[in-house]
Amino acid sequence: MEKGSKYADVIIDVSIDKLDRPFSYRIPERLSGIICAGSRVRIPFGAGNTEKKGYVTALRDTVDLEEDKIKDILGIVEGSVTAQDVSFEIASYIRETYGGTLSQALKVVIPAKAKAKPIELKTLVRKMEREQILALADEAFRRKQTAKEKVLRALAENERIPNSWITGKLGVSSQTVASVVKSGAAYLETSSEYRKPAIADIRESEPVSLNDGQNRIVSSICSDLDAGLRGTYLIHGVTGSGKTEVYLRLAQKTLLMGKQVIFLIPEIALTYQTLARFYGKFGDRVSVLNSSMTPGERFDQCERAKNGDIDIIIGPRSALFTPFPNTGLVIMDEEHEASYKSESTPKYHAREVAKKICEISGASLVMGSATPSLESYTAALSGEIKLFELNERAGGGELAQTEIIDLRKELSLGNRSMFSRRLKALMDEKISKGEQIMLFLNRRGFSGQISCRECGKVMMCPHCEVPMSLHSGSRLICHYCGEVTEKPDTCPSCGSKYLAAIKAGTEQVEDRIRKMYPDVKTLRMDKDTTSEKGAYDRILSSFSNGEAQILIGTQMIVKGHDFPNVTLVGILVADLSLGVPDYRASERTFQLIAQAAGRAGRGVKPGNAVIQTYQPDSYAIVCAAQQDYGKFYEEEMAYRESAGYPPATHLLALQLFGQDEKKTSLLASDLRDVIKSYGAKKVLGPAPANIAKVKDYYRYVIYIKSPEVSELTGIRTVSEEYLENADMNGMFVQFDLDPVNQI
Ligand code: ADP
Ligand code: ZN
Ligand code: ZN
């Protein structure tokens, strides 16, 4: 970064690919030496000199432009955060691999966008001898200055008093504090503090000695670290096999080497117990990042990381961009989770970006899962990454005894309830023993949707092609756009009065349970009950404390939690997620069921898992019930190979959105022709997306398959070039490389 350079390359904030390149600007005298690569600046842009923002990517002493064609930088954006050199490298990689513009990629990579003022802590500090202060207090008493007297008497007893205590507990105004200061009795000391995220329940973790399997992993990775070898590792370990314990040891090792650790977790719901264990072991050296934090809280965690105040950050995929001075280890727990893939442009996958970041910073990557993604397992089998297996539960507990219940048989025997006879019997038993139960409703698809029992019409959102869901008896809500309507009394198409909910949602399950077991306390965990800040933690800790005997929920309850008293897990309709038109439907179903079944019997008591399904022969369900990952992998990989889906090949989804259905479909056809003439061999579509309309935008998808990412990158580039000159007119495009959800 040469100080005093005269010119700067600036990437301007745009979402238009045409402008996605650096433009040259002059650095005015007053900013010389202040602006550096990474500075966020204001610049005039275009013929009208509209003010825009952008990032300086490089400084230069000369440019290839006539002096009078170069515009001046207007200034540095107030309160902005300077991007680090490495941010550009990562952003370029993301842009290159996943599309979008460099400025969009930079926004992803720079973890805190705005500076925040530190919190100020004020303390009243005594300046006089105790006797002098007592004399002042007596004087205040004579003058009937009660508030001032209170402060002085408190000062006589304490040398330092937090101002918040005086204005809070003592109920004294800041004017009174000022008058005490004026009398010379004390002064106000100001110090600043970073915001620290609160953590609900910090447990000292009890030291365990590693078992053989764990030891093998820890010593193998540690000896690589000692030898200065950077590696990528996959720990395939059944739930409860002690992976977290391994992560803790590896983190400790990394800290001893003077380096820092990024620990990625897929969802906030997982943080509760994992966080407690990391805090228990590393105390204040740990912090978290999560989506419910304020910008100030986020900024402070990044500052603490930069300054070396913390060594470990725990968070979702965005935590990957924590600006540690020397990251030595990235851990990715539950590496198969779909939430590691970004759903907005650039649609990057944290796993791939983590590999890149580790490469740049010389760090190792450790991934773990009970049900690894097909991508990682394939890479492990090919030797590209190192594979470790942990096949037994570390705490000694047995895997749950699993049974598959055929719901079709239940129905034919006249049982129309959502609980099979077997599940009901086990619930009765566990309740009477005082043990805990988790009921899991695999609520993919559309629960709570309303249909006409006579003509079959489903109540759809007028703006999106998805069914609306019934809430609290009378309102219909669209979960895509938020549209709310009253439930009609009669069918809009045939006039019938018989409108009813098709599938049970978690709310209905809770209702049923309350009727069946009026004395049993229940908790429910789903999107609706966890919208408030801190709700996850509250529900989980109250279940963990035994305040309720039954926890009912969606996929959020099945992952990662360790409740020793849970001895029964009921999966109400295991195949709900199988019917989704997505090449990952089986994989997701397998993962959910295997994870859910893994929740039972984590303590010393034996556990049961009951899997209710209409498709008892599906390999995803059978393999999950047997906890047989290897068999599932074989079956699923054979399907991916024959049907041509990742990881057998790479897949690029090009999604076109537009309000005019006809124009959108025409442009999509044009694009297909462009892609074909580029030489792409496997092009599917265009076809309307699974959900063909969202928020009044029609969606068309083209899928392109190729074994080489570089070919797909080329196809993306020619498509972008074609669209630059096309009449887009309210339409826009998104690219998704190796999508995890087929839209
Ligand atoms: P995972 O992350 O694979 O689900 P955990 O690390 O959470 O597994 O371990 C599951 C349980 O077993 C935890 O309660 C943990 O304290 C315990 N545990 C882990 N390793 C050992 C060990 N070596 N000896 C005894 N208990 C262990
Ligand atoms: Zn009808
Ligand atoms: Zn809608």
Side-chain angles (χ1 to χ4, degrees):
M1 251 178 268
E2 328 84 75
K3 297 237 158 164
S5 300
K6 282 173 70 184
Y7 306 99
D9 288 353
V10 178
I11 277 279
I12 297 162
D13 285 10
V14 280
S15 51
I16 311 165
D17 298 302
K18 214 185 297 196
L19 304 177
D20 193 24
R21 60 179 177 86
F23 289 84
S24 295
Y25 282 87
R26 188 184 299 106
I27 302 174
E29 197 65 38
R30 72 194 151 82
L31 295 175
S32 170
I34 299 173
I35 284 182
C36 58
S39 295
R40 185 126 174 91
V41 290
R42 295 181 290 117
I43 55 262
F45 189 72
N49 282 336
T50 336
E51 185 175 319
K52 295 243 176 218
K53 288 177 188 160
Y55 282 103
V56 172
T57 54
L59 299 183
R60 310 197 171 278
D61 291 325
T62 55
V63 284
D64 240 5
L65 272 174
E66 286 163 47
E67 196 60 24
D68 60 341
K69 292 238 167 79
I70 307 176
K71 298 174 188 174
D72 276 10
I73 290 179
L74 301 172
I76 293 187
V77 176
E78 207 171 314
S80 60
V81 176
T82 302
Q84 297 179 310
D85 289 352
V86 47
S87 303
F88 289 107
E89 203 174 340
I90 302 164
S92 307
Y93 165 81
I94 290 179
R95 192 250 168 278
E96 184 62 29
T97 315
Y98 298 98
T101 64
L102 190 57
S103 99
Q104 285 172 327
L106 273 168
K107 289 207 173 115
V108 164
V109 163
I110 297 169
K113 273 105 202 146
K115 282 185 183 154
K117 284 212 186 92
I119 302 173
E120 291 207 326
L121 284 184
K122 287 187 180 159
T123 313
L124 196 63
V125 186
R126 190 158 90 193
K127 250 168 69 179
M128 290 177 172
E129 294 297 320
R130 187 165 174 268
E131 286 69 32
Q132 284 174 288
I133 294 203
L134 283 174
L136 283 176
D138 290 342
E139 191 187 322
F141 172 72
R142 280 194 298 279
R143 294 189 184 177
K144 300 207 161 56
Q145 296 168 322
T146 343
K148 190 171 177 183
E149 187 201 346
K150 266 202 254 179
V151 178
L152 287 164
R153 296 224 183 270
L155 259 182
E157 303 309 320
N158 304 281
E159 252 171 75
R160 302 170 60 85
I161 311 177
N163 195 46
S164 58
W165 187 82
I166 301 175
T167 51
K169 203 101 186 209
L170 276 189
V172 169
S173 73
S174 46
Q175 282 99 314
T176 308
V177 176
S179 105
V180 170
V181 169
K182 210 168 156 206
S183 72
Y187 65 93
L188 266 180
E189 183 189 87
T190 308
S191 60
S192 57
E193 187 186 52
Y194 289 121
R195 297 158 188 83
K196 288 182 189 165
I199 151 94
D201 165 29
I202 302 178
R203 290 181 296 179
E204 268 301 317
S205 28
E206 282 176 30
V208 293
S209 44
L210 297 184
N211 60 35
D212 288 350
Q214 290 168 316
N215 246 327
R216 205 164 26 84
I217 302 174
V218 171
S219 56
S220 165
I221 297 178
C222 284
S223 67
D224 282 359
L225 290 172
D226 282 331
L229 294 173
R230 211 173 55 70
T232 305
Y233 311 87
L234 174 65
I235 306 174
H236 173 215
V238 296
T239 43
S241 59
K243 296 185 291 297
T244 308
E245 207 55 48
V246 170
Y247 302 150
L248 285 163
R249 302 293 169 112
L250 295 174
Q252 189 172 34
K253 169 76 181 174
T254 308
L255 262 51
L256 285 175
M257 296 174 77
K259 298 185 177 189
Q260 298 87 39
V261 180
I262 296 171
F263 183 16
L264 300 182
I265 46 169
E267 266 170 89
I268 235 158
L270 282 175
T271 59
Y272 160 70
Q273 280 170 336
T274 313
L275 264 186
R277 279 165 80 179
F278 271 77
Y279 270 88
K281 191 163 180 104
F282 300 106
D284 252 4
R285 304 302 296 172
V286 186
S287 191
V288 279
L289 274 183
N290 65 50
S291 53
S292 63
M293 282 175 139
T294 63
E297 285 171 328
R298 292 185 75 81
F299 174 74
D300 282 4
Q301 302 331 305
C302 291
E303 287 300 291
R304 294 172 76 200
K306 240 188 251 173
N307 299 341
D309 294 342
I310 51 170
D311 301 307
I312 302 176
I313 193 91
I314 304 180
R317 57 170 193 264
S318 61
L320 200 47
F321 307 110
T322 304
F324 278 128
N326 192 4
T327 305
L329 178 67
V330 177
I331 301 168
M332 205 172 167
D333 195 22
E334 311 281 348
E335 68 77 39
H336 61 275
E337 283 287 339
S339 66
Y340 282 126
K341 179 98 197 260
S342 168
E343 288 290 326
S344 52
T345 304
K347 299 187 173 184
Y348 71 95
H349 201 300
R351 190 196 303 123
E352 302 310 311
V353 178
K355 286 178 190 162
K356 185 72 191 176
I357 288 178
C358 286
E359 191 187 304
I360 295 172
S361 56
S364 287
L365 174 62
V366 172
M367 303 185 282
S369 173
T371 53
S373 65
L374 268 74
E375 280 77 6
S376 293
Y377 205 72
T378 304
L381 292 182
S382 78
E384 201 179 301
I385 61 185
K386 211 161 170 177
L387 178 66
F388 297 107
E389 309 259 359
L390 286 175
N391 296 320
E392 265 148 48
R393 287 202 162 165
E398 290 290 304
L399 286 174
Q401 190 202 324
T402 318
E403 13 190 341
I404 296 179
I405 304 290
D406 186 347
L407 285 175
R408 295 169 308 184
K409 260 190 208 145
E410 290 289 316
L411 208 59
S412 72
L413 291 169
N415 178 7
R416 297 184 164 277
S417 107
M418 47 179 105
F419 308 102
S420 61
R421 292 156 305 150
R422 175 67 178 150
L423 179 56
K424 173 80 172 56
L426 281 168
M427 287 199 294
D428 291 346
E429 179 197 324
K430 305 295 181 184
I431 287 171
S432 68
K433 282 191 188 158
E435 296 169 2
Q436 287 180 303
I437 299 170
M438 285 166 96
L439 293 178
F440 165 56
L441 190 65
N442 183 357
R443 198 173 74 156
R444 290 226 166 226
F446 308 101
S447 63
Q449 68 190 44
I450 295 292
S451 73
C452 170
R453 286 286 148 98
E454 302 212 359
C455 77
K457 182 180 168 64
V458 176
M459 303 301 133
M460 305 286 279
C461 172
H463 309 290
C464 312
E465 289 197 350
V466 295
M468 298 183 82
S469 338
L470 184 66
H471 278 258
S472 43
S474 64
R475 285 184 316 153
L476 293 177
I477 299 179
C478 169
H479 284 298
Y480 277 75
C481 72
E483 170 88 5
V484 179
T485 57
E486 284 300 305
K487 181 187 155 207
D489 293 328
T490 53
C491 171
S493 74
C494 77
S496 152
K497 282 185 301 199
Y498 300 103
L499 295 176
I502 300 178
K503 285 167 193 159
T506 43
E507 219 174 321
Q508 287 92 326
V509 176
E510 194 179 31
D511 276 355
R512 286 301 314 154
I513 290 286
R514 284 188 175 157
K515 288 195 182 107
M516 278 160 62
Y517 305 108
D519 301 329
V520 172
K521 285 234 166 60
T522 61
L523 280 166
R524 176 160 65 93
M525 189 153 160
D526 56 26
K527 255 200 182 125
D528 296 333
T529 61
T530 52
S531 54
E532 253 172 64
K533 196 170 174 172
Y536 283 104
D537 284 0
R538 233 182 4 259
I539 296 173
L540 291 176
S541 60
S542 112
F543 188 60
S544 164
N545 296 337
E547 287 159 37
Q549 214 172 346
I550 305 182
L551 175 64
I552 299 153
T554 52
Q555 34 264 57
M556 350 179 146
I557 68 169
V558 306
K559 299 167 187 167
H561 313 298
D562 196 355
F563 300 112
N565 200 32
V566 170
T567 55
L568 173 61
V569 170
I571 300 163
L572 298 179
V573 194
D575 41 308
L576 266 191
S577 55
L578 270 183
V580 180
D582 187 323
Y583 73 91
R584 289 185 200 252
S586 291
E587 185 178 8
R588 204 158 291 138
T589 303
F590 173 81
Q591 288 163 352
L592 281 171
I593 297 169
Q595 301 263 351
R599 294 303 115 204
R602 300 206 59 172
V604 281
K605 296 173 206 145
N608 294 80
V610 174
I611 303 169
Q612 307 190 139
T613 175
Y614 294 99
Q615 297 173 54
D617 303 325
S618 141
Y619 66 86
I621 291 173
V622 173
C623 295
Q626 295 167 350
Q627 300 266 344
D628 190 344
Y629 178 83
K631 180 134 175 281
F632 172 75
Y633 176 84
E634 267 176 35
E635 296 258 7
E636 183 65 12
M637 203 55 204
Y639 154 68
R640 301 283 175 96
E641 260 155 19
S642 69
Y645 281 117
T649 182
H650 287 286
L651 182 68
L652 177 69
L654 186 160
Q655 303 158 358
L656 197 61
F657 301 74
Q659 285 179 300
D660 183 317
E661 188 174 8
K662 187 119 193 250
K663 279 189 188 155
T664 315
S665 112
L666 278 176
L667 184 60
S669 304
D670 291 348
L671 262 177
R672 183 219 24 230
D673 297 342
V674 170
I675 292 166
K676 283 214 157 148
S677 60
Y678 176 82
K681 281 175 212 73
K682 290 194 177 139
V683 184
L684 308 174
N690 284 340
I691 296 164
K693 186 171 77 166
V694 167
K695 296 181 189 171
D696 291 323
Y697 272 84
Y698 292 90
R699 318 202 288 179
Y700 281 85
V701 195
I702 302 173
Y703 287 106
I704 307 113
K705 293 175 180 177
S706 168
E708 298 302 328
V709 171
S710 58
E711 190 191 351
L712 297 176
T713 307
I715 288 169
R716 199 188 66 227
T717 308
V718 296
S719 309
E720 283 168 348
E721 280 164 8
Y722 176 78
L723 291 174
E724 264 174 31
N725 302 310
D727 175 15
M728 291 295 277
N729 197 358
M731 292 183 268
F732 63 96
V733 68
Q734 283 188 357
F735 296 94
D736 195 347
L737 177 67
D738 294 336
V740 296
N741 289 307
Q742 276 182 290
I743 69 162

